[in-house]
Amino acid sequence: MNRDAALAQITSKVNKVRGELPAGAEDPVFDVAVGETTASAYLGFYSDSLDSNQITDYLVRVVQPKLSTIPGVQKADVLGARTFAMRIWLKPERMAALGLSASDVRAALASQNVLSAVGQTKGSMSSVYLTAQTDLNSAEEFRDIIIREHNDELIRVRDIADVVLGAENYDSSVMFSGRNGI
């Protein structure tokens, strides 16, 4: 069987179960490589003035598209990427004092067109990557989300969490010549 027929069969089988994926799940991505698939070059990027998120943003927007269009280049991956993500670090002791739970926070975020901070949640037997689509863009806008209103008192995200624009993933890092890089 040739690779095109195999890809068609796999795509067909995945499409049959696509409707069973949970809400918000991303569609599967298929890559077909022709010829040698071992990386033939690695380029290291680091900066004294930009942080890893800013370097990643530049590489994804400017460098990766240019490298991908060079004849003979099948793929240009960004390894060790630090994609921007809004991080909401809940303070359990403060939440308990206000009688709030994580599900209260999630409900408030969802009701204001936010699923969750982009990132991942881990349990003892599973790891789930979360994505969010929102009209909110800054940490300040996320801090202002109202969690609960009671007797003319507003409890906002800022009252029970630290909100920062951070990285989507902190699970890995890349080093070049002893320096953090991408």
Side-chain angles (χ1 to χ4, degrees):
M1 175 183 299
N2 68 32
R3 74 169 185 263
D4 294 329
L7 179 61
Q9 282 186 359
I10 291 169
T11 303
S12 173
K13 289 179 181 183
V14 169
N15 285 335
K16 286 181 183 177
V17 296
R18 184 173 276 151
E20 297 175 27
L21 293 173
E26 293 183 17
D27 285 338
V29 176
F30 301 100
D31 284 334
V32 177
V34 178
E36 184 64 40
T37 58
T38 304
S40 58
Y42 290 95
L43 303 173
F45 294 86
Y46 53 86
S47 172
D48 292 326
S49 60
L50 300 175
D51 65 26
S52 296
N53 297 33
Q54 293 168 315
I55 296 170
T56 298
D57 182 56
Y58 178 76
L59 292 175
V60 169
R61 286 184 307 103
V62 178
V63 177
Q64 188 178 35
K66 289 181 180 179
L67 289 176
S68 297
T69 62
I70 296 172
V73 172
Q74 291 182 358
K75 183 167 50 169
D77 288 328
V78 179
L79 304 176
R82 292 277 194 236
T83 304
F84 280 114
M86 195 62 61
R87 307 299 294 205
I88 299 176
W89 304 101
L90 300 175
K91 298 176 182 176
E93 65 286 345
R94 182 74 178 126
M95 292 171 60
L98 294 169
L100 293 170
S101 68
S103 59
D104 294 330
V105 176
R106 186 194 177 289
L109 292 172
S111 72
Q112 296 180 45
N113 197 27
V114 180
L115 295 175
S116 177
V118 177
Q120 94 184 140
T121 181
K122 295 179 182 180
S124 61
M125 301 297 284
S126 65
S127 178
V128 178
Y129 286 89
L130 306 171
T131 59
Q133 294 182 356
T134 176
D135 292 331
L136 303 176
N137 296 307
S138 71
E140 193 59 35
E141 290 172 324
F142 277 87
R143 287 183 195 108
D144 286 340
I145 292 174
I146 297 169
I147 303 297
R148 183 173 63 197
E149 184 175 354
H150 182 66
N151 295 334
D152 295 327
E153 179 187 1
L154 298 178
I155 299 173
R156 298 180 184 273
V157 169
R158 73 174 69 251
D159 300 322
I160 52 103
D162 291 323
V163 181
V164 295
L165 183 59
E168 184 176 276
N169 183 334
Y170 292 102
D171 289 344
S172 64
S173 64
V174 173
M175 303 283 289
F176 291 101
S177 300
R179 297 180 71 174
N180 285 330
I182 307 293

